[in-house]
Amino acid sequence: NLVYADKTPFIARLEEDPACKVAVFLRPRRFGKTLFTDMLMSYYDRSLAGSFDSTFKGTWIHEHKTSLAGSYCCVRFDFSSVSGDAKLVKASFTGEIAYALMDFTDRYPDLGLPYSELKADLYAEPSDLMKAFVANFRRHSTGRDQLYVIIDEYDHFANDILSRDTETFRKITSTAKEHEGFIKQFYSYLKEASGGDRSRPIERFFITGVSSVSLDSLTSGFNICTNISNELWCNSMVGFTHAELSKIIDETVDLSALPGIDKTKILQVMEKFYDGYTFSPKAKERIFNSSMCLYFLRALIQANEMPEKLVPESAGADLSKLDGMLRIAIPEARNQIAELIFRREEISSDPPAALNLNQNDLFDFSQAVSMLMYMGYLTIAYSLPGSRKLVYRCPNEICYQVFLNYSEYCFGLRKSQNIDLLGLIEEADPASLIKSVETIISDLPDSGLAGFNERTLQMCFDFAIKQEKSGLLHPFLEYDTGDHGKTDIYIDNSRPDGHRFVIELKYLSKKQATEAAIDAKFSEAVAQLQRYSAGPNLRGAKPLDLWAVVFAGRKAVKVQRVFRTAEL
């Protein structure tokens, strides 16, 4: 009684391609990589062959069964639970290997390592445990016994460490012979044991992860793999296509219980917040983040109304990881990328670059873009004609908001007490919002004000609105009007009779704020608002108020509603 998007055709595609014998498949978090490895395990493991019909009936692969189905002894490692604590990581990594091999022994008592030898503390290095397992497998196997090694989230713990402690990351992934890291030793042995014959019994690998940082830092330890992540054919191997999501909505949502909400509206919201991923420059189809879609649909079904919260609380933990990873980039690259994302502009850069921290102290611009692409904050949009360059963009509103929250945090904006903007909500009066922003700016240290500009002023407005206690206001920075430019701030209002707002902001330092300069900035804002007002994306049933606001230093010096849509 669960929904399912049939990804089984990819089983045959992986099997047909010789390059996929040792495949690495990278996708951002929450896309369904673990479920895909479960599917491979269920399909290929010999001990599960008897349940093929009950497991796969109704899927594509059931009618197109391949010759290798149920023909391997599968070993499945899940490294998502390995500790990211530098002091615990080695023991935790060894423990996860022991746990996976214990599961193997449960399924293959005659081929697996005896339970008495599956104690992590018996082995000095994780690779020693793997060596003991393979040696035992060789002794007891027949010619037809071959291993399929499935590794899920190979880099999860390494990325945790990388985001906090680059030196420890270098130690555990080091490829220098005099002090090889234990991860390199482990993968070096997997390479040594691969080949598919009696002496080297590992025939196939399937490895998932988020980024190539660990992989590229282990190139000499495991250089037999093929990274298929950006191949066109596997663009939709995980995540939901539009057709898959449409079918899931049909199967799960009772539209009769949702007055005023139809399927088109549901899809519009989900496209805006969870869609937009393409993982190959040649891909035409954009992919939805599957876990986020299911989170949204659960909330919709439970409440019988559109969810107010569009992202689970757990996603907030991404901020610290994003911060840690971006600090690995050179400041100039970090600032340039942050500005481009903030302005919702496209980013031109090289194809996904190697991310080897055993060779580079800090990532350059291209590497930083690649890292953000792997993490899901950027996606490949298209390739530039006549160039090897690719164009990247922020895929959707959720990713933009996470990055905006990160920028606000870095600027020094911290969660404050609930802000009361009742006047704006009920009477379309922005005085309470202006006062709240002035308070936020006044709390900034002088050092923060030194770099203040229109972008940081936008962040202060966004921050104030998001602290508003009713939750009725929804701000969007750099909002695309359709074909008439981007507004500084567009504010949607959930109140049934509430007004919507467009605010055009201008900023002057106190020294610049002459009367003539203020008037010039105000006139510039009015001209922009007149252009924005014709934008098709601003059309709606609720009234739209367009305001021009000029700040000088810490204070608003000119605030005026230029017009209301009903007056146009």
Side-chain angles (χ1 to χ4, degrees), residues 315-424:
D318 290 352
L319 283 182
S320 60
K321 185 173 289 187
L322 177 61
D323 180 46
M325 298 296 268
L326 279 172
R327 291 184 185 280
I328 304 166
I330 58 176
E332 295 81 5
R334 187 167 66 234
N335 294 338
Q336 185 180 356
I337 293 169
E339 178 69 25
L340 289 168
I341 292 178
F342 185 88
R343 297 298 177 202
R344 299 184 189 267
E345 294 180 8
E346 294 180 334
I347 299 173
S348 174
S349 186
D350 295 324
L355 304 175
N356 191 336
L357 274 183
N358 287 314
Q359 295 178 358
N360 308 297
D361 289 332
L362 293 172
F363 293 149
D364 59 20
F365 180 85
S366 176
Q367 291 170 318
V369 168
S370 297
M371 177 183 63
L372 290 171
M373 184 273 296
Y374 283 122
M375 294 178 71
Y377 296 109
L378 293 174
T379 195
I380 298 172
Y382 55 90
S383 56
L384 287 173
S387 169
R388 67 181 298 273
K389 296 280 188 182
L390 299 182
V391 173
Y392 300 81
R393 57 176 169 76
C394 191
N396 52 50
E397 192 63 29
I398 287 293
C399 288
Y400 181 82
Q401 289 298 327
V402 170
F403 208 94
L404 177 60
N405 292 344
Y406 162 75
S407 298
E408 291 171 357
Y409 181 86
C410 291
F411 183 65
L413 301 177
R414 300 291 188 268
K415 195 166 186 178
S416 60
Q417 296 179 349
N418 288 333
I419 291 174
D420 184 355
L421 300 181
L422 205 59
L424 183 64

Side-chain angles (χ1 to χ4, degrees), residues 5 239-253 263 266-271 274-275 287-290 292-294 296-297:
F240 291 151
T241 64
H242 192 280
E244 288 167 342
L245 180 60
S246 178
K247 182 182 177 184
I248 286 171
I249 293 172
D250 291 340
E251 292 177 348
T252 60
V253 179
K263 183 178 177 181
I266 292 171
L267 280 169
Q268 284 175 344
V269 173
M270 298 181 82
E271 285 167 357
Y274 310 126
D275 194 11
I287 305 301
F288 288 86
N289 182 313
S290 50
M292 289 296 182
C293 288
L294 295 176
F296 175 88
L297 290 176

Side-chain angles (χ1 to χ4, degrees), residues 405-457:
N405 292 344
Y406 162 75
S407 298
E408 291 171 357
Y409 181 86
C410 291
F411 183 65
L413 301 177
R414 300 291 188 268
K415 195 166 186 178
S416 60
Q417 296 179 349
N418 288 333
I419 291 174
D420 184 355
L421 300 181
L422 205 59
L424 183 64
I425 296 169
E426 295 184 349
E427 301 171 17
D429 181 355
S432 57
L433 174 59
I434 300 298
K435 182 179 179 181
S436 297
V437 172
E438 288 178 336
T439 300
I440 289 169
I441 298 174
S442 69
D443 289 340
L444 292 172
D446 291 338
S447 58
L449 201 61
F452 209 82
N453 53 31
E454 284 181 19
R455 173 186 162 193
T456 44
L457 182 58

